[in-house]
Amino acid sequence: MLYQADDRSDSSGLVVSGGSCWGSRRRQRQGASGVEVADLANNGLIAPGSMFHARPQRHREKTAVLGEDGRLSVNGVFSDYPSSAARAVTGGLSEPGWWFWLTALNGTRSLSTLRQEYLDGFDDAPERFGADTN
């Protein structure tokens, strides 16, 4: 498990990150869903060392690897967010990072799909994380 301090489980048994080594600024800048990549790892949807493949055909050969700390690494450079890892691939062009990264080279399952699976595990997901999960 990636988080250790201030983690808690809700009644569904899913781990909800209450604190992290990255501090509160990271939590404030997460986006509408309030979910971090590390939350997916904490709940067994992905594991450290998992490889992700860029979705756009022109970047298909590019990969990111999930680090032990819940960050994505592209060419050895760690990013706190899927979108910043995607920008590292595109040369700075903005990309929707949760959509950008696929779990298999020619697959359709993305980080966005995994995030939705995580959110579906909570009975109160819209109230807990906000209605926008895209």
Side-chain angles (χ1 to χ4, degrees):
M1 193 151 81
L2 300 175
Y3 284 101
Q4 304 208 355
D6 298 325
D7 284 351
R8 60 193 180 285
S9 293
D10 73 348
S11 60
S12 69
L14 294 173
V15 176
V16 180
S17 301
S20 74
C21 60
W22 300 300
S24 62
R25 178 184 292 188
R26 177 179 165 87
R27 181 60 73 189
Q28 292 169 359
R29 296 185 334 192
Q30 293 176 307
S33 73
V35 176
E36 296 180 3
V37 175
D39 293 324
L40 306 180
N42 285 338
N43 287 282
L45 293 169
I46 54 176
S50 295
M51 184 176 293
F52 300 95
H53 302 270
R55 180 187 300 254
Q57 191 64 41
R58 67 186 174 277
H59 301 296
R60 188 56 59 102
E61 76 284 356
K62 300 295 184 176
T63 60
V65 177
L66 181 65
E68 291 289 332
D69 61 359
R71 297 185 302 158
L72 294 173
S73 171
V74 176
N75 296 326
V77 177
F78 285 89
S79 299
D80 289 337
Y81 308 100
S83 57
S84 58
R87 279 193 302 279
V89 167
T90 63
L93 298 175
S94 182
E95 292 283 352
W98 290 93
W99 169 90
F100 188 91
W101 296 108
L102 299 172
T103 60
L105 181 57
N106 293 311
T108 59
R109 195 168 188 221
S110 66
L111 281 177
S112 180
T113 304
L114 295 174
R115 178 180 59 182
Q116 190 58 52
E117 290 174 18
Y118 172 78
L119 290 170
D120 288 347
F122 292 98
D123 291 334
D124 63 345
E127 295 82 22
R128 181 188 303 258
F129 297 105
D132 180 13
T133 60
N134 291 321

